């Protein structure tokens, strides 16, 4: 069975939300940095005609299964060929992929430094990003979403998180 690019991208976004949610809730992820790097790597192929997300989904699945077995068991349903990925605006998703990759890099940087309170806070914000892309925050303007979801981090930690990506929400 063929999986469309949109469906593959939707699955990756759902799985990323599961990862952010797990970190936010204090659940153990065996290798968070490797997991987030895997998300960034596959998302970077969203507009790659030679190696699209749909063609890399199997590799992505194997990476998660080999380095994060427990997390994989929680998300393996999303890899099923018959799993119905949510409907969403793929253009909006592609517009926001650089911001997700940027956030993943920042989260990885904090994880490597052992700043796990900051990692948890960043993941708490990122937990809302896939639902935003899926249209679940349509009652808010883009700038309201940004202020609500990403605005608190700088106030708590007195450092930037997603400010460089604010232009995507204007």
């Amino acid at each position: 069975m063929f999986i469309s690019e949109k469906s593959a991208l939707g699955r990756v976004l759902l799985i990323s939300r599961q990862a952010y949610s797990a970190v936010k809730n204090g659940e153990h992820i065996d290798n968070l940095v490797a997991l987030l790097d895997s998300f960034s790597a596959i998302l970077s192929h969203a507009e790659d005609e030679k190696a699209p997300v749909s063609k890399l989904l199997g590799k992505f699945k194997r990476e998660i299964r080999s380095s994060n077995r427990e997390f994989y068991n929680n998300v393996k349903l999303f890899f099923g060929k018959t799993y119905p990925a949510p409907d969403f605006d793929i253009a909006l998703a592609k517009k926001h992929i650089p911001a997700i990759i940027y956030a993943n890099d920042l989260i990885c940087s904090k994880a490597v430094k052992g700043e796990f309170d900051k990692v948890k806070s960043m993941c708490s914000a990122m937990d809302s990003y896939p639902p935003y892309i899926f249209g679940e925050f349509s009652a808010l303007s883009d700038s309201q979403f940004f202020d609500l979801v990403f605005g608190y981090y700088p106030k708590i930690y007195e450092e930037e998180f997603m400010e460089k990506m604010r232009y995507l929400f204007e």
Side-chain angles (χ1 to χ4, degrees):
M1 176 183 243
F2 173 76
I3 295 176
S4 71
E5 187 68 3
K6 183 177 179 179
S7 178
L9 182 57
R11 292 161 192 248
V12 172
L13 290 171
L14 284 171
I15 296 165
S16 69
R17 182 177 189 204
Q18 291 294 110
Y20 299 135
S21 182
V23 173
K24 173 185 84 171
N25 294 328
E27 297 172 24
H28 176 72
I29 301 272
D30 290 329
N31 192 341
L32 179 62
V33 172
L35 183 62
L36 293 178
D37 282 344
S38 292
F39 286 124
S40 293
I42 195 165
L43 288 171
S44 70
H45 286 271
E47 296 194 84
D48 187 339
E49 291 180 18
K50 292 182 182 177
V53 173
S54 57
K55 297 267 191 216
L56 299 173
L57 207 53
K59 178 182 178 201
F60 179 62
K61 175 183 173 179
R62 288 187 297 279
E63 286 175 7
I64 293 174
R65 188 173 47 208
S66 68
S67 64
N68 287 287
R69 169 86 48 203
E70 188 175 325
F71 177 72
Y72 172 76
N73 287 335
N74 294 330
V75 297
K76 65 184 172 186
L77 166 73
F78 299 128
F79 289 105
K81 291 185 188 236
T82 59
Y83 184 81
D87 189 31
F88 63 99
D89 181 350
I90 193 165
L92 178 69
K94 288 179 179 180
K95 173 184 171 185
H96 285 274
I97 284 173
I100 295 170
I101 293 170
Y102 175 76
N104 286 345
D105 289 347
L106 292 175
I107 294 167
C108 288
S109 169
K110 298 297 180 190
V112 168
K113 292 177 186 175
E115 297 176 323
F116 295 109
D117 285 344
K118 292 179 181 180
V119 167
K120 191 173 180 179
S121 183
M122 291 172 156
C123 286
S124 179
M126 291 302 292
D127 182 43
S128 296
Y129 213 154
Y132 165 77
I133 292 170
F134 296 145
E136 294 178 26
F137 288 89
S138 60
L140 299 175
S141 71
D142 293 344
S143 63
Q144 287 173 324
F145 172 81
F146 184 90
D147 291 340
L148 178 69
V149 173
F150 298 116
Y152 73 91
Y153 183 89
K155 293 174 186 171
I156 295 171
Y157 295 106
E158 297 179 3
E159 64 185 38
E160 289 186 3
F161 175 35
M162 292 291 283
E163 284 300 314
K164 289 182 180 177
M165 296 296 157
R166 180 181 280 279
Y167 72 93
L168 293 171
F169 297 90
E170 294 174 350

